[in-house]
Amino acid sequence: HHGPHVLEPVTLVTGIEEYFQSEALLTLPSGFVRNFYYTLKTQRFVVLAGRPGTGKTAFARAFSEALANQFPESVCEVVVSVGQDFGDSDIIGYEKIAGGLAPTELTKRLFLEGRQKSLFVVVLDEMNMAHVDYYLARILPAIESDAPVELPGQSASTLLPSDTFFIGTVNSFLDETTRVPLSGPVKRRANIIVMPNVLDIILGEDDRKRFAASIKSLLKRSLKSCRRRGNTALPSILDG
């Protein structure tokens, strides 16, 4: 292997943590990024579960950015926004009437583009809006045991790239009736990490000094975000 495998694991995880501290607009508990890194490395599929507004999607995207920061030009991120009635064809694509595959963005990047990148991060946003076993039916065995993936309209099966990592986000199905509970097989294949609500924890501890520091940090990061949008010629009318 070349590319992403040259960094020592300790150097890599430290670099990712440093990226979160300097660039990510998130308040996280100590050790959370490190724990997430080792969990994802071990299992390849991690689900971030928690209440809306706790930063699950922002964390997943920031983790992908942190990897790209460590491995320039090597990381490919694919974000899939799962909707209700999501099916196999929404993830993989479908066989055209004339034959051959009508691929999705995920299929193009992972299987069809000659794998120009060496590390793939697939973010399944709100993954329990539909039945995961159904729409990931072709992918789950590949995540678990490197089973070949059968693509519609393709005569030969293909393998999932070895450095492919899946990060799912779920709102608790107890909080929202539109969410589907995760099945036993999905829970066995994925590691579930609860996304902490750090400000809630600080409020509960009644640590005013720490709460004030967190709010100050949040405001600084928000200001940085506004400036970044302005520099990319995409300012919001609310940035002022």
Side-chain angles (χ1 to χ4, degrees):
H1 286 302
H2 300 284
H5 301 278
V6 294
L7 283 184
E8 291 294 323
V10 175
T11 311
L12 174 55
V13 74
T14 303
I16 291 170
E17 284 183 314
E18 286 171 356
Y19 181 88
F20 267 88
Q21 286 165 6
S22 62
E23 300 294 331
L25 307 173
L26 294 163
T27 303
L28 296 163
S30 174
F32 185 81
V33 174
R34 183 169 290 255
N35 178 47
F36 181 87
Y37 165 81
Y38 284 116
T39 305
L40 187 65
K41 186 181 173 187
T42 306
Q43 197 119 350
R44 291 177 72 184
F45 190 1
V46 173
V47 177
L48 290 169
R51 290 161 58 189
T54 46
K56 299 180 296 293
T57 305
F59 178 88
R61 301 293 305 273
F63 190 85
S64 182
E65 288 169 13
L67 282 175
N69 185 58
Q70 294 295 305
F71 304 120
E73 309 301 317
S74 296
V75 177
C76 172
E77 181 192 52
V78 183
V79 180
V80 180
S81 295
V82 177
Q84 288 180 322
D85 303 321
F86 222 61
D88 183 54
S89 61
D90 296 297
I91 285 284
I92 294 290
Y94 58 90
E95 185 174 359
K96 295 183 280 192
I97 294 171
L101 171 65
T104 59
E105 188 68 19
L106 181 142
T107 303
K108 282 182 198 169
R109 297 290 182 87
L110 262 59
F111 302 117
L112 302 179
E113 290 184 345
R115 300 187 183 163
Q116 295 159 16
K117 307 287 184 181
S118 36
L119 207 157
F120 299 85
V121 179
V122 179
V123 179
L124 298 168
D125 197 23
E126 298 210 49
M127 64 177 276
N128 62 333
M129 284 284 283
H131 286 278
V132 182
D133 309 71
Y134 176 50
Y135 70 76
L136 276 189
R138 293 174 194 260
I139 301 277
L140 283 172
I143 295 171
E144 186 175 42
S145 60
D146 294 317
V149 179
E150 305 286 339
L151 298 176
Q154 302 277 295
S155 54
S157 59
T158 184
L159 293 173
L160 196 65
S162 57
D163 281 331
T164 304
F165 301 95
F166 289 79
I167 305 173
T169 71
V170 299
N171 289 338
S172 169
F173 62 88
L174 297 173
D175 294 340
E176 302 194 37
T177 54
T178 55
R179 302 306 190 269
V180 179
L182 297 180
S183 70
V186 171
K187 286 178 181 175
R188 280 198 302 274
R189 288 176 170 123
N191 220 311
I192 299 171
I193 293 179
V194 176
M195 194 73 195
N197 189 335
V198 180
L199 288 178
D200 256 10
I201 294 165
I202 295 168
L203 272 173
E205 291 170 350
D206 199 24
D207 186 340
R208 295 187 181 190
K209 192 175 179 182
R210 192 174 167 214
F211 181 73
S214 295
I215 294 296
K216 192 175 177 182
S217 170
L218 197 62
L219 289 170
K220 277 183 183 174
R221 288 168 181 169
S222 297
L223 183 60
K224 188 176 178 181
S225 180
C226 291
R227 285 176 178 154
R228 188 186 297 154
R229 282 202 300 271
N231 291 338
T232 54
L234 294 170
S236 162
I237 57 168
L238 303 178
D239 287 347

